[in-house]
Amino acid sequence: MYGMQGKLLVVDLAAKTAEVRAVREATLKKYKGIDALAEKFLKNDDIVIMTGSLTGLLGPCTNRYGIYCGKGKNAPKGSLAGFFGAELKLCGYDGMIIRGKAKSPVYITIQDAEIKIRSASALAGKNVDAKTAAIAGKFPVKAGVLVIGPAAEKGCEFAVVMGDRLYSGPSGSGAAFAAKNLVGIVANGSGVIETAEPDKYWDLAMAARKKAAQSKFAIALGSADAKVSRAAAENLQARPLAGYRNLERRLDWDKEEPVSVVRRRGCYSCAIGCRKQYKIEIGKYKGVVESPAPEFAVVFEDECLVKDTGALLRAYELCRKNGMDPAECAAFAGKALRKARCTGNAKAMLDAVKDAVSGGKRTKPSAAFGYGFAAVRNQEALDLAMDRGMCPFAAVSLNASELKALTAAAEGKE
Ligand code: SF4
């Protein structure tokens, strides 16, 4: 099927082997999309990493991929943005199946057809940034990298795999990697992905990129200018869920709080660039934090009732560096603060986040964690785009017929 490579990489950590498995055209057509294809190949306690037909193409934010850790109702599964999925696909694989447990900590390197399983013993205890640098050090900067942090190694239940230093995998995925003694994976591909109608796909993709980049939603997400953010937020058609009730105020952080944006980042083929590096200008928590969009940091505000922007960004930064799910970590910290009757205390919140690294237990987050896309009239089309590998922040700006036409130009007819 066009848009896919027709191959999976199967790595057995116990046997220290890596082999390529062909996927039949009929299977790709029957199990279209990240979710269906991943579930098709998921067995026992295997980890499956899967891309969709848009992942790795040059399109509007076409970089999404899924991580599935074992079978079962509560098994960690979910999709994330970044570079890893696109690079894996450019190496020639639609996905990976990882089975078995290594005898000691290892990481996997994938450079097109060259696969290696290497010792990661020297990386034990290092944070996400240090592990990413060590694993990806000899690869070009475009390489995609997955690593676990200290939280996974120390038994935190909501430890995650971090993609490309910034993007949290599903809650519990870090623990699943650690259970296999798998510390990380790096992928760097030089291949191509064929589309069914290359010229048509290119025209539709470039038009979609332009539309996504110029949408009010994208401007609100990506802007480092508070005035632009406010104007966009006022017109924003996205309906904040419970966890986003202060969205407009958050978009104004640059203006109202002593926090400035140092730089913006984008994932593979991103048309928006919503990820920001912040500088906390004054106060106890000043310094630069490699935090994603502020709306993610404020899950700590919702759970712990802390108002200090610097402390909230620091809490998120601790999650990122240690590899923990921020929503669950915020719920864990909120529970600890309520028990100690010190809700609203920034220092107690940060101490609770540090405690979570080695003792984090699952607590259901009370705040909804996501956007309500009122702007999308066709939720089905948005789901389709995400399941094929497009970031929802781009997909939300496109209408159903645009999304369907783009997918059809990539995949071809039924
Ligand atoms: S909009 Fe944000 S999350 Fe989506 S692809 Fe771009 S940088 Fe990544």
Side-chain angles (χ1 to χ4, degrees):
M1 190 179 92
Y2 287 102
M4 302 297 278
Q5 304 286 37
K7 284 186 285 181
L8 292 177
L9 181 62
V10 184
V11 177
D12 188 325
L13 294 172
K16 295 188 194 163
T17 58
E19 60 186 44
V20 178
R21 175 170 167 180
V23 185
R24 289 186 302 132
E25 173 97 7
T27 305
L28 291 171
K29 285 187 172 168
K30 186 173 176 189
Y31 300 94
K32 271 188 182 174
I34 293 171
D35 195 58
L37 204 53
E39 294 288 359
K40 157 80 183 151
F41 289 103
L42 190 59
K43 287 194 174 66
N44 307 320
D45 65 347
D46 290 354
I47 294 171
V48 169
I49 301 172
M50 194 59 72
T51 66
S53 57
L54 295 179
T55 317
L57 294 177
L58 289 177
C61 305
T62 38
N63 53 61
R64 215 159 176 87
Y65 61 103
I67 299 180
Y68 294 68
C69 306
K71 300 289 270 183
K73 201 170 141 221
N74 298 319
K77 65 173 184 175
S79 65
L80 60 159
F83 293 82
F84 181 82
E87 287 298 324
L88 182 67
K89 189 97 165 275
L90 292 169
C91 284
Y93 314 109
D94 294 321
M96 287 181 79
I97 301 171
I98 302 161
R99 55 181 50 135
K101 179 181 177 181
K103 281 204 177 109
S104 56
V106 295
Y107 67 96
I108 302 167
T109 64
I110 308 168
Q111 171 72 63
D112 298 319
E114 188 177 294
I115 320 297
K116 290 191 175 153
I117 301 171
R118 298 173 183 268
S119 169
S121 297
L123 301 178
K126 294 195 185 300
N127 71 29
V128 164
D129 290 340
K131 282 200 181 88
T132 300
I135 288 176
K138 293 198 175 98
F139 285 80
V141 281
K142 80 177 192 64
V145 195
L146 290 177
V147 298
I148 59 170
E153 294 164 333
K154 292 179 179 175
C156 171
E157 289 179 358
F158 44 79
V160 295
V161 172
M162 292 297 295
D164 306 300
R165 298 198 310 123
L166 291 178
Y167 307 97
S168 300
S171 181
S173 56
F177 269 56
K180 291 187 173 301
N181 262 332
L182 178 59
V183 169
I185 314 173
V186 57
N188 178 48
S190 60
V192 292
I193 305 160
E194 288 186 25
T195 52
E197 299 174 87
D199 292 343
K200 189 174 176 187
Y201 175 80
W202 181 258
D203 290 346
L204 291 171
M206 291 307 114
R209 275 183 69 90
K210 198 170 166 192
K211 195 170 175 191
Q214 292 174 350
S215 73
K216 292 183 175 103
F217 188 71
I219 292 165
L221 276 176
S223 180
D225 181 330
K227 281 186 190 149
V228 176
S229 290
R230 175 174 282 281
E234 279 168 1
N235 289 309
L236 199 62
Q237 290 179 310
R239 177 179 53 224
L241 297 178
Y244 285 81
R245 56 186 173 268
N246 296 321
L247 178 66
E248 190 182 343
R249 187 183 74 71
R250 286 165 205 154
L251 289 167
D252 261 353
W253 271 7
D254 309 347
K255 187 167 128 189
E256 292 176 357
E257 306 277 358
V259 174
S260 58
V261 175
V262 180
R263 60 186 289 197
R264 282 171 56 191
R265 293 180 191 280
C267 305
Y268 176 89
S269 197
C270 178
I272 297 169
C274 77
R275 300 291 135 124
K276 298 170 187 170
Q277 194 180 54
Y278 290 91
K279 186 173 179 192
I280 305 161
E281 308 276 5
I282 58 167
K284 220 169 162 178
Y285 305 105
K286 73 179 180 182
V288 172
V289 288
E290 190 70 76
S291 178
E295 61 269 26
F296 296 135
V298 291
V299 288
F300 285 95
E301 180 182 0
D302 290 340
E303 296 281 2
C304 301
L305 306 183
V306 168
K307 299 290 173 196
D308 184 321
T309 306
L312 296 172
L313 287 170
R314 285 287 177 203
Y316 197 95
E317 177 79 340
L318 281 169
C319 281
R320 188 191 69 74
K321 278 191 169 180
N322 286 291
M324 293 187 287
D325 180 84
E328 288 207 51
C329 189
F332 175 85
K335 192 176 171 188
L337 264 59
R338 285 192 295 281
K339 198 172 168 193
R341 295 178 187 275
C342 60
T343 303
N345 183 317
K347 184 181 177 306
M349 173 186 74
L350 291 169
D351 286 344
V353 173
K354 286 174 196 159
D355 289 345
V357 174
S358 53
K361 299 271 178 262
R362 300 200 96 147
T363 304
K364 200 169 182 293
S366 62
F369 193 56
Y371 287 96
F373 290 114
V376 175
R377 283 177 217 97
N378 190 336
Q379 184 67 39
E380 204 186 323
L382 176 65
D383 291 344
L384 168 96
M386 284 177 66
D387 197 39
R388 297 298 204 271
M390 188 188 294
C391 173
F393 296 161
V396 73
S397 308
L398 307 173
N399 62 41
S401 58
E402 287 166 330
L403 289 167
K404 281 180 182 165
L406 186 73
T407 309
E411 294 176 354
K413 295 196 173 68
E414 292 292 314

PDB file of all heavy atoms in Angstrom, residues 190 315 377 403:
ATOM      1  N   SER A 190      17.377   7.228   5.567  1.00  0.00           N
ATOM      2  CA  SER A 190      17.711   8.003   4.362  1.00  0.00           C
ATOM      3  C   SER A 190      16.858   7.544   3.178  1.00  0.00           C
ATOM      4  O   SER A 190      17.177   7.837   2.032  1.00  0.00           O
ATOM      5  CB  SER A 190      19.194   7.845   4.023  1.00  0.00           C
ATOM      6  OG  SER A 190      19.484   6.480   3.781  1.00  0.00           O
ATOM      7  N   ALA A 315       7.955  22.198  37.574  1.00  0.00           N
ATOM      8  CA  ALA A 315       7.343  20.880  37.838  1.00  0.00           C
ATOM      9  C   ALA A 315       7.271  20.082  36.536  1.00  0.00           C
ATOM     10  O   ALA A 315       7.588  18.891  36.492  1.00  0.00           O
ATOM     11  CB  ALA A 315       5.945  21.062  38.432  1.00  0.00           C
ATOM     12  N   ARG A 377     -15.867  20.145  12.578  1.00  0.00           N
ATOM     13  CA  ARG A 377     -17.252  19.701  12.458  1.00  0.00           C
ATOM     14  C   ARG A 377     -17.293  18.192  12.295  1.00  0.00           C
ATOM     15  O   ARG A 377     -18.259  17.553  12.585  1.00  0.00           O
ATOM     16  CB  ARG A 377     -17.914  20.394  11.263  1.00  0.00           C
ATOM     17  CG  ARG A 377     -18.286  21.820  11.593  1.00  0.00           C
ATOM     18  CD  ARG A 377     -18.864  22.533  10.387  1.00  0.00           C
ATOM     19  NE  ARG A 377     -18.408  23.919  10.401  1.00  0.00           N
ATOM     20  CZ  ARG A 377     -17.383  24.366   9.714  1.00  0.00           C
ATOM     21  NH1 ARG A 377     -16.715  23.570   8.931  1.00  0.00           N
ATOM     22  NH2 ARG A 377     -17.026  25.613   9.788  1.00  0.00           N
ATOM     23  N   LEU A 403      -8.878  16.547   4.438  1.00  0.00           N
ATOM     24  CA  LEU A 403      -8.165  15.448   5.102  1.00  0.00           C
ATOM     25  C   LEU A 403      -8.312  14.138   4.331  1.00  0.00           C
ATOM     26  O   LEU A 403      -7.349  13.396   4.160  1.00  0.00           O
ATOM     27  CB  LEU A 403      -8.687  15.274   6.529  1.00  0.00           C
ATOM     28  CG  LEU A 403      -8.303  16.394   7.508  1.00  0.00           C
ATOM     29  CD1 LEU A 403      -9.110  16.301   8.788  1.00  0.00           C
ATOM     30  CD2 LEU A 403      -6.820  16.333   7.823  1.00  0.00           C
TER      31      LEU A 403
END
